[in-house]
Amino acid sequence: MNDRRLSRRANNGEPDFDLLIILAPPRSFTTVVSAMLGQHPQLYGLPETHFFTCDSIDEWTTTYRGTDRMDGALRAVAQLVFGGQTQPTVRLARRWLQARSFLTTAEVLRLLARRAAPRVLVEKTPTASRQIQAVRRMRREFPRARFLHLVRHPHDQVRSRLQRRLDGQRDDGPASLAEAADRLGEDPAQLWYATHQAILRFFEEVPAGQRLRVRGEELLAEPAAGLGEIAAWLGLRGDDEAIDAMRHPERSPFAGQGPPNAPRGGDEKFFHDPVLRERGPGTPPLDAPLPWRPEARLPERVRGLARTFGYR
């Protein structure tokens, strides 16, 4: 956690923010943290909608038609509008979105927010975190939004990203972490660095009270303390019942694969085993050999940025 002093007063009435947005690169615990926060009695965690990467639903549909990046939004609409996630309700969700293709993505999020009310939506789409126009769209459309900057050690974030490619089902997939890194065509730590730099530039425009940085390893190592700090920052209930609820991400309606016509919407590894397992906060030294290239080390600019986040 960052060391900025936070108010410890809980607000048991209506929250004074209209959206909680998690900003982070992919493979940074966003799925499990969104599911955890979404179990708070005053919050509702969504799967990855990719809404903020586009201005309108028409643009969103054109951009993601035929890809699994539509799955999270289809699951969210199926659940909130049609009462559950089945193949028929996903088909209804698709038609529902098609009928609203003239709306902006923010307007559709507001429609979903009304369905979830009085709980406040938790939105997370890691691919949007690197796009300055996307994060600015978030703040323009939801000026009272709170932004949770979730960080993960660059070694572990990159390794998780490469391992996901290694675990893919394609016959022509990479056979090692090193091969997976080579196939990226760029330094695999670059996405970590570029995404966090974009978030930091955006945070220069955001009032201090609307942003909070959290190290994911510490949150998962001591969830009661970390979740309590987030609840206090948000002005939400911080009683034992609320904190305990957030320690059960498996209770989220999105904690698992969706129906065959919309199975994704987050981290498939979490979907297969969504129970929270508290882990130690230990991380490798920043100058340790790279898991995907033992003869190399992280670039100095990556290590320097990681140090500002509290890693050593």
Side-chain angles (χ1 to χ4, degrees), residues 22-25 125-132 134-135 138 194-196 198-199:
I22 300 174
L23 298 177
T125 297
T127 56
S129 298
R130 188 177 178 178
Q131 303 173 25
I132 193 66
V135 291
M138 296 173 187
T195 303
H196 287 303
I199 294 169

Side-chain angles (χ1 to χ4, degrees), residues 12 36-37 39-42 227 231 236-248:
N12 293 322
M36 291 166 68
L37 294 174
Q39 293 313 292
H40 189 284
Q42 293 170 278
L227 293 167
L236 301 180
R237 287 174 47 188
D239 54 86
D240 291 345
E241 180 182 2
I243 299 301
D244 183 66
M246 290 190 285
R247 297 177 72 170
H248 291 280

Side-chain angles (χ1 to χ4, degrees), residues 3 31 33 54 71 94 182 232 237 242 246 256 270 304:
D3 57 5
T31 299
V33 170
C54 301
D71 289 4
R94 193 179 297 274
D182 289 339
R237 287 174 47 188
M246 290 190 285
F270 170 75

Side-chain angles (χ1 to χ4, degrees), residues 44-51 60 64 67-80 85 90 93-94 97 109 112 123-125 253-254 256 258-259 261-266 271:
Y44 189 96
L46 295 175
E48 292 176 12
T49 67
H50 294 272
F51 278 155
W60 177 87
Y64 298 121
T67 74
D68 60 17
R69 291 194 171 185
M70 299 183 77
D71 289 4
L74 291 170
R75 293 181 65 182
V77 172
Q79 183 69 38
L80 283 167
Q85 300 166 63
V90 166
R94 193 179 297 274
L97 286 166
L109 267 176
L112 297 181
E123 160 71 18
K124 70 100 177 179
T125 297
F254 308 109
N261 52 349
R264 300 286 295 278
F271 289 163

Side-chain angles (χ1 to χ4, degrees), residues 83-100:
Q85 300 166 63
T86 64
Q87 292 192 64
T89 60
V90 166
R91 288 193 289 269
L92 290 172
R94 193 179 297 274
R95 294 175 197 153
W96 188 90
L97 286 166
Q98 289 170 346
R100 289 156 181 80

